[in-house]
Amino acid sequence: GAGVSQSPSNKVTEKGKDVELRCDPISGHTALYWYRQSLGQGLEFLIYFQGNSAPDKSGLPSDRFSAERTGGSVSTLTIQRTQQEDSAVYLCASSLRGRTEAFFGQGTRLTVV
Amino acid sequence: QKEVEQDPGPLSVPEGAIVSLNCTYSNSAFQYFMWYRQYSRKGPELLMYTYSSGNKEDGRFTAQVDKSSKYISLFIRDSQPSDSATYLCATSGAGSYQLTFGKGTKLSVIP
């Protein structure tokens, strides 16, 4: 596709439920990132994938958060037992191997009620 | 001290004005500097990318990096109402893929 595609664009879930957020990176981009943007806060790094290498999960805030990337392309971020503090915009980005410039998707706005 | 500091604004200017947006950073290892523009309820859009110190110009936009003072700037000439958005600065170190962002400055250009 022309850009990074994320789905759904909006998700409202009840506290305690699990959610899955999907990201489809730009074709040919081997690096994929997840960031979180909370109200009034900057973007917070969550996880990084590069090709078939082990991901850098150092930014995941708790063990309720996990992510996978299948076939070196599409990625899914899963949040288990959602809490109200998980409410935020979850942004996915991709870049070419070895390049720092990251291109972002439109984000998934998650609201936990 | 936050690694990247950015005045959140809001900043309001009349159409046609020159806008100056700034960030300071604390980590001298940062080598790559970016500016993103984010419209309301949209994802960040990469505007400018620079490596190390110096200036880079693209149309009405000029990015400036002064590594000696750890200061990065974005100048917008002849500002337009369509420039109204939140501007985020971002940095990373050599060999690092992780971007460190400022909190963003909200800009309004009044017709």
Side-chain angles (χ1 to χ4, degrees):
Chain A
V4 177
S5 177
Q6 292 188 245
S7 62
S9 4
N10 288 284
K11 176 74 177 178
V12 179
T13 190
E14 291 180 352
K15 179 180 171 182
K17 301 279 190 184
D18 297 352
V19 294
E20 283 189 353
L21 313 179
R22 177 189 165 103
C23 173
D24 199 344
I26 294 172
S27 177
H29 282 194
T30 58
L32 186 147
Y33 318 72
W34 285 98
Y35 284 83
R36 178 168 70 175
Q37 188 174 33
S38 303
L39 191 64
Q41 302 297 315
L43 274 74
E44 173 191 5
F45 169 78
L46 296 178
I47 189 168
Y48 166 79
F49 295 90
Q50 172 57 270
N52 295 319
S53 302
D56 175 357
K57 305 179 183 180
S58 61
L60 294 178
S62 77
D63 59 7
R64 297 186 295 104
F65 288 72
S66 63
E68 63 177 21
R69 189 177 184 191
T70 52
S73 181
V74 172
S75 176
T76 302
L77 177 69
T78 301
I79 309 173
Q80 295 178 309
R81 305 181 303 281
T82 51
Q83 304 295 312
Q84 287 187 327
E85 61 262 28
D86 299 333
S87 296
V89 177
Y90 290 82
L91 291 159
C92 177
S94 69
S95 67
L96 289 167
R97 184 182 189 88
R99 300 292 298 184
T100 310
E101 314 99 288
F103 296 86
F104 284 83
Q106 300 292 346
T108 293
R109 184 174 297 272
L110 175 66
T111 304
V112 181
V113 297
Chain B
Q1 182 189 8
K2 298 282 186 185
E3 283 202 290
V4 179
E5 299 272 8
Q6 185 175 9
D7 186 336
L11 180 62
S12 184
V13 301
E15 183 175 355
I18 296 175
V19 176
S20 173
L21 302 166
N22 309 290
C23 290
T24 58
Y25 63 94
S26 57
N27 189 340
S28 58
F30 287 147
Q31 298 275 356
Y32 301 93
F33 305 92
M34 281 141 278
W35 283 95
Y36 286 85
R37 177 175 63 195
Q38 187 173 26
Y39 291 114
S40 181
R41 305 186 80 86
K42 300 290 186 183
E45 169 194 3
L46 182 63
L47 265 184
M48 300 288 283
Y49 169 83
T50 53
Y51 170 70
S52 196
S53 284
N55 291 0
K56 184 173 183 179
E57 187 174 323
D58 184 1
R60 297 184 296 111
F61 298 89
T62 300
Q64 195 171 79
V65 176
D66 182 348
K67 291 192 70 182
S68 63
S69 57
K70 298 189 181 68
Y71 198 80
I72 55 179
S73 302
L74 177 71
F75 298 97
I76 308 174
R77 290 182 300 281
D78 187 25
S79 56
Q80 302 296 308
S82 58
D83 296 328
S84 298
T86 296
Y87 290 80
L88 302 158
C89 61
T91 67
S92 73
S96 173
Y97 43 77
Q98 207 177 113
L99 296 177
T100 301
F101 283 85
K103 289 189 177 181
T105 300
K106 186 170 183 178
L107 171 68
S108 294
V109 181
I110 311 301

